[in-house]
Amino acid sequence: SFPTRRSSDLQCDAEKLPFPDDWFDCVTVAFGLRNMTHKDAALAEMRRVLRPGGRLLVLEFSQVWKPLA
């Protein structure tokens, strides 16, 4: 079962998010992508839990070596 009320923060494995597909309007990560072992898997999970038209917001200062799109 999933929470029905809003949560101010949540800590979980970004490569195995505990939510169904199309669950969020917005997913955010700040200064965390650089610490994820499998960035491609984590980004795929974030996309999976976003509703169609949802937004992924990544705040990061490290250099991107390959385009993400």
Side-chain angles (χ1 to χ4, degrees):
S1 131
F2 299 99
T4 56
R5 62 185 175 91
R6 291 182 180 218
S7 176
S8 60
D9 60 3
L10 175 67
Q11 183 178 347
C12 58
D13 184 347
E15 296 175 23
K16 299 173 189 166
L17 295 174
F19 299 99
D21 296 354
D22 305 328
W23 186 255
F24 294 102
D25 293 315
C26 184
V27 173
T28 66
V29 59
F31 311 113
L33 194 58
R34 68 179 91 175
N35 300 317
M36 295 177 192
T37 305
H38 303 102
K39 292 171 183 54
D40 55 341
L43 289 168
E45 270 295 275
M46 291 177 215
R47 183 174 184 187
R48 179 186 68 76
V49 299
L50 278 172
R51 291 183 178 143
R55 302 286 180 169
L56 171 60
L57 305 175
V58 178
L59 177 61
E60 196 62 70
F61 287 114
S62 54
Q63 186 173 355
V64 176
W65 297 101
K66 296 180 182 178
L68 297 174

